[in-house]
Amino acid sequence: MGERKVLNKYYPPDFDPAKLPRARRPKNQQIKVRMMLPMSIRCNTCGNYIYKGTKFNSRKEDVIGETYLGIQIFRFYFKCTKCSAELTMKTDPQNSDYVVESGATRNFEPWRAEDEEADGLKRKRESEEMGDAMKSLENRTLDSKREMDILAALDEMKSMKSRHATVTVDEMLAALQRTSDDKEKRLEEEDEALIKSVVFHNSNDYVRRVRDEDIEEEEEVAQLSNGHVGTSSSSPKRQKPSKEPPGKATDALTKVSLDESGKQGNSHGGSAKPNPLVRISVIKKPVASDPKGAAEPEQKKTVDSNANSTGGLQSLCQSYGSDGDDSDQ
């Protein structure tokens, strides 16, 4: 299977490279290259700023008659990105930089000014020491004095630091460990205090919330229990009233009246006072053998029961008994 990208080409056996015709190029032929702008410049035609790193196509040529220590200098032609004006620059191997020739000006770069100033002072000193030995001795003496002053200041700073740094590394680590332990202990104490502050239902400090309905029910039970002396004194627990509705409206009144009558009877030593709301009726049974003798005990029973009742019931029973006697006669 043939290769998709051919890397090796076929040369016939009778191939002779000397027979190939050579194209003669001009001495200063320009070559198209793509490069990036090595510095920030400003176009003199439109005032557009072209920043460092801008890519563009340029034409490169050799600068005839200009070299630096045998190094060839090149010139580049490129166009402004806004007005398409032609700009030129060339290499500067002496300073390892580029120089703008025409069409634009280089922006101010403060680090370049500092470097140029330092280079100027260095060249000036070299030129002075070249023909004067005393000047070079003076310069070396100044340099040694400056170095000694720097070393003395450095030693003073070290001694000052050693005086202030009384804490060793081990002591510092121990202090940090103590601080972390104290912090953990404080957090544990706060957690324990929070847990103790929480009151659970099964604890002794738990206070049950009393609702309004419970208070009303307890008041009703207290009112009802006031009528039962034995129940209120003997049982410490309060009994809740029965929530079952009565069958009739008069049943509740009858029950209350009976309870009151029982209370009064117990308090007076067993003599029961009849309730005025209870009506007692006596039914007479007919006796065939001795109607007169049977009527007498019935009359006595009626009189005894009416003696304990109220005045109205007693008169009613007496009148009923008198009627019975008249009929028997």
Side-chain angles (χ1 to χ4, degrees):
M1 183 176 179
E3 296 181 2
R4 187 172 62 87
K5 292 183 178 180
V6 180
L7 301 177
N8 298 324
K9 295 183 179 180
Y10 172 73
Y11 294 97
D14 56 348
F15 176 72
D16 186 6
K19 295 181 179 179
L20 292 176
R22 293 187 179 182
R24 298 198 176 187
R25 298 178 181 177
K27 190 174 182 181
N28 191 16
Q29 184 182 6
Q30 295 181 354
I31 303 172
K32 290 183 180 180
V33 294
R34 183 162 180 87
M35 62 178 298
M36 297 174 65
L37 195 64
M39 63 234 174
S40 298
I41 60 175
R42 184 183 182 187
C43 180
N44 294 336
T45 305
C46 62
N48 181 34
Y49 288 93
I50 306 174
Y51 297 99
K52 181 180 179 180
T54 305
K55 294 180 180 180
F56 51 86
N57 296 326
S58 63
R59 293 177 286 114
K60 185 185 76 169
E61 67 176 8
D62 299 338
V63 179
I64 301 173
E66 292 186 15
T67 57
Y68 174 75
L69 303 177
I71 300 173
Q72 181 64 43
I73 297 175
F74 301 99
R75 182 181 288 112
F76 298 92
Y77 298 90
F78 58 96
K79 293 183 179 180
C80 177
T81 56
K82 186 175 181 180
C83 63
S84 299
E86 191 174 52
L87 312 176
T88 60
M89 66 178 180
K90 63 180 181 179
T91 58
D92 186 8
Q94 182 178 359
N95 299 318
S96 301
D97 202 358
Y98 292 83
V99 178
V100 179
E101 273 192 321
S102 62
T105 54
R106 189 168 184 169
N107 296 339
F108 177 73
E109 297 173 350
W111 58 90
R112 284 177 54 84
E114 294 177 359
D115 295 341
E116 290 177 357
E117 185 177 359
D119 293 340
L121 292 175
K122 187 177 180 180
R123 287 195 294 269
K124 182 179 179 181
R125 180 176 176 177
E126 290 177 355
S127 61
E128 289 178 354
E129 293 178 355
M130 188 175 293
D132 193 353
M134 294 297 296
K135 187 68 176 177
S136 85
L137 180 60
E138 290 177 0
N139 291 337
R140 286 197 298 271
T141 306
L142 291 174
D143 293 341
S144 62
K145 185 179 179 181
R146 189 181 300 110
E147 290 178 1
M148 290 175 66
D149 293 341
I150 292 172
L151 291 175
L154 185 59
D155 293 338
E156 185 178 357
M157 290 175 64
K158 287 182 179 180
S159 61
M160 186 183 297
K161 186 176 180 181
S162 63
R163 286 197 302 271
H164 289 295
T166 57
V167 181
T168 61
V169 178
D170 297 335
E171 293 178 356
M172 188 181 298
L173 293 175
L176 291 175
Q177 185 67 24
R178 286 195 301 270
T179 305
S180 62
D181 294 342
D182 295 341
K183 186 176 181 180
E184 291 178 359
K185 186 176 180 180
R186 186 172 63 256
L187 291 176
E188 290 178 359
E189 292 177 355
E190 291 178 357
D191 294 341
E192 291 178 359
L194 180 62
I195 292 171
K196 290 180 180 179
S197 64
V198 177
V199 180
F200 298 95
H201 293 279
N202 55 359
S203 63
N204 297 328
D205 298 334
Y206 173 70
V207 179
R208 185 175 62 86
R209 181 180 178 183
V210 181
R211 297 179 298 174
D212 296 339
E213 293 82 359
D214 298 340
I215 296 174
E216 293 176 358
E217 290 178 359
E218 290 180 359
E219 290 178 355
E220 292 176 0
V221 172
Q223 291 177 2
L224 293 176
S225 63
N226 289 333
H228 301 278
V229 178
T231 306
S232 62
S233 61
S234 62
S235 61
K237 296 183 180 179
R238 296 182 178 179
Q239 298 179 356
K240 293 185 179 180
S242 177
K243 295 184 180 179
E244 297 180 358
K248 296 181 181 179
T250 58
D251 293 346
L253 298 175
T254 306
K255 185 176 180 181
V256 173
S257 62
L258 289 174
D259 294 339
E260 291 179 356
S261 63
K263 176 185 176 184
Q264 292 176 2
N266 294 331
S267 62
H268 291 290
S271 63
K273 186 177 180 181
N275 193 358
L277 297 177
V278 179
R279 184 175 180 178
I280 302 172
S281 61
V282 179
I283 299 173
K284 187 177 180 182
K285 292 184 180 181
V287 180
S289 62
D290 193 2
K292 186 175 180 181
E296 289 178 358
E298 292 290 335
Q299 184 178 1
K300 291 179 180 180
K301 185 187 292 186
T302 305
V303 171
D304 294 336
S305 64
N306 290 335
N308 298 327
S309 64
T310 58
L313 293 175
Q314 186 175 6
S315 63
L316 181 61
C317 292
Q318 289 176 359
S319 64
Y320 179 78
S322 63
D323 294 340
D325 295 338
D326 294 339
S327 63
D328 292 338
Q329 293 174 1

